[in-house]
Amino acid sequence: MSPAHLFIHIGTHKTGSTAIQSALRENASLLGKEGIVFMPVPKVAKQLMMGQALDSTIISRCRDRLQKSIKDAPARSRFLWSFEGFSGNPDVGYENAHVVAESLGRITDGLDVSIIAYLRRQDEFIESLYAQTICAGASCTFESFAARFDASSFDWARLLHGYSEHFGRENIIVQRYDKGLLSTAGGLLGGFAQIIGSECLKKHRGSIAANRGYSPDALEIMRLAHPHLDEMEKKRLQRALHQASQKQPFASYNYLSFGERQEILDRYSASNAEVAREYFNEPDGGLFALPDPSGSHPHYQGISGATVVFLAKAVVAGPGTLLLRAVAEGLDRVPRVKSVLRRLFWKLGLLKQ
């Protein structure tokens, strides 16, 4: 009997994994009729993301859980795991990806495994990862966050090599995550459906932008306010700002100037070219569309800290309508703050259109 076929979608982070996983959950029953078993990742497997060394206990428990799921499934089923943590820890630039890859190799020993990886241009990846870090409660500046990473961080050729070493180059499926992908007829989900061989997933009409982000102003309000809020207040502020000031997918955060953006991409040019040639048969080494200097937007300058802290505290504390109306109407000296807060207060029902 031939070994069971297991797809492992490893992310990376900030490449639409949440939307893919949401669609997989919603279509789990239909996928089952197609012979595809979407399996929840064992809780213990989530510890792999942070691992700096092999952990035999985690490997054994994950392997036992996987074997049981395969044994309980109908014959000739294909199986699927999806978890961006399988690409490693982004907070350390995925430097532990080789450990995660080896762990997965031992967990899935004897199975026919296909690794699915999505890659994003590094400058955009770092900006998006920063936004996620702020949403998680941090208050660091973008400059201090970006300074954590060097040329070995987010090196896609290095990351993919770690997985090909344990699963074979022929079993690594790599996709680009960019605006061009989402604008195609099938989009992100259609491409994923093609890889795993699912017709029902191609027909899914749920929102692929389910994990829509925050505008730079909303993130700056959170960043400046976080040191002054408890965890419950942070969550309330986050929910209110998400309603009032969302960022469209692939809209730029503009934390980087064009020159800074180009400097980052120069750092990864050789690595990206290697991936382009090996996985996309691009002889010129063009992995991603490069930033257009004529389409660049002004470098984000931030907003007034003291005003934002006061207003954030007022909002999460259950604000008085008259006070907030007066403040929102009187922010003429900081128009960007005024615009964001007017939308926020309108969403909260504290202002009329």
Side-chain angles (χ1 to χ4, degrees):
M1 181 184 294
S2 59
H5 189 178
L6 170 64
F7 292 101
I8 304 180
H9 171 219
I10 66 169
T12 54
H13 295 76
K14 315 313 299 177
T15 59
S17 298
T18 298
I20 289 172
Q21 291 156 7
S22 176
L24 289 170
R25 284 190 293 270
E26 291 178 33
N27 290 275
S29 178
L30 292 174
L31 287 167
K33 293 178 181 179
E34 295 180 334
I36 301 172
V37 179
F38 174 50
M39 302 179 297
V41 173
K43 289 183 179 180
V44 67
K46 296 181 180 180
Q47 297 176 36
L48 291 176
M49 182 177 79
M50 310 300 291
Q52 294 293 324
L54 295 176
D55 188 316
S56 58
T57 300
I58 293 176
I59 290 171
S60 177
R61 290 174 64 185
C62 288
R63 181 170 174 79
D64 290 346
R65 177 72 176 272
L66 176 60
Q67 292 292 343
K68 183 179 187 309
S69 296
I70 292 173
K71 182 180 178 181
D72 292 345
R76 294 184 295 278
S77 293
R78 290 164 289 158
F79 300 87
L80 172 63
W81 265 347
S82 177
F83 175 46
E84 54 271 38
F86 283 152
S87 57
N89 182 2
D91 292 337
V92 295
Y94 293 132
E95 69 173 23
N96 68 330
H98 66 289
V99 174
V100 181
E102 185 174 353
S103 298
L104 285 173
R106 297 190 181 198
I107 290 167
T108 62
D109 185 41
L111 302 179
D112 178 17
V113 178
S114 296
I115 299 293
I116 307 171
Y118 282 78
L119 306 178
R120 189 169 186 173
R121 206 176 72 192
Q122 285 90 344
D123 58 318
E124 295 178 341
F125 182 92
I126 292 170
E127 287 180 314
S128 187
L129 191 62
Y130 171 71
Q132 177 177 289
T133 301
I134 296 300
C135 289
S139 57
C140 57
T141 65
F142 176 77
E143 289 73 20
S144 65
F145 176 81
R148 301 176 189 175
F149 308 112
D150 58 22
S152 65
S153 303
F154 315 127
D155 181 326
W156 301 144
R158 179 183 177 187
L159 182 143
L160 293 173
H161 178 70
Y163 291 86
S164 64
E165 189 175 328
H166 295 284
F167 296 96
R169 161 64 187 84
E170 70 280 5
N171 295 313
I172 311 298
I173 303 167
V174 184
Q175 298 288 292
R176 299 176 176 98
Y177 180 80
D178 57 25
K179 191 173 184 178
L181 171 66
L182 294 192
S183 65
T184 60
L188 173 68
L189 195 56
F192 189 86
Q194 186 70 31
I195 291 170
I196 66 173
S198 170
E199 291 301 318
C200 72
L201 212 58
K202 291 179 184 178
K203 300 174 183 176
H204 180 74
R205 292 295 177 263
S207 173
I208 203 63
N211 201 24
R212 185 169 292 170
Y214 295 81
S215 72
D217 277 338
L219 289 169
E220 187 69 351
I221 289 172
M222 282 190 273
R223 183 186 77 80
L224 294 168
H226 278 163
H228 308 272
L229 305 176
D230 62 30
E231 291 305 312
M232 184 62 70
E233 289 174 329
K234 287 178 183 179
K235 291 178 181 178
R236 291 178 63 188
L237 177 63
Q238 186 179 107
R239 287 195 296 268
L241 287 170
H242 194 254
Q243 290 181 339
S245 188
Q246 291 185 6
K247 184 186 77 68
Q248 296 300 313
F250 292 104
S252 178
Y253 287 106
N254 299 319
Y255 290 124
L256 295 162
S257 67
F258 176 77
E260 291 167 333
R261 202 174 294 280
Q262 195 61 54
E263 184 179 336
I264 288 175
L265 294 179
D266 288 345
R267 180 195 308 170
Y268 296 109
S269 60
S271 172
N272 286 350
E274 181 182 339
V275 174
R277 289 190 294 267
E278 185 170 353
Y279 291 91
F280 294 95
N281 195 27
E282 299 277 1
D284 63 352
L287 181 59
F288 302 110
L290 297 179
D292 179 5
S294 65
S296 297
H297 297 285
H299 189 193
Y300 182 66
Q301 297 300 316
I303 52 181
S304 167
T307 302
V308 168
V309 169
F310 167 73
L311 291 170
K313 290 284 283 188
V315 169
V316 297
T321 302
L322 294 178
L323 171 62
L324 288 179
R325 280 184 181 174
V327 173
E329 294 291 349
L331 285 172
D332 293 323
R333 62 188 179 87
V334 277
R336 285 196 303 276
V337 182
K338 179 178 179 179
S339 175
V340 172
L341 290 170
R342 280 184 62 83
R343 291 197 298 274
L344 189 154
F345 296 158
W346 177 75
K347 288 285 187 180
L348 293 173
L350 302 175
L351 285 174
K352 296 180 180 179
Q353 280 185 301

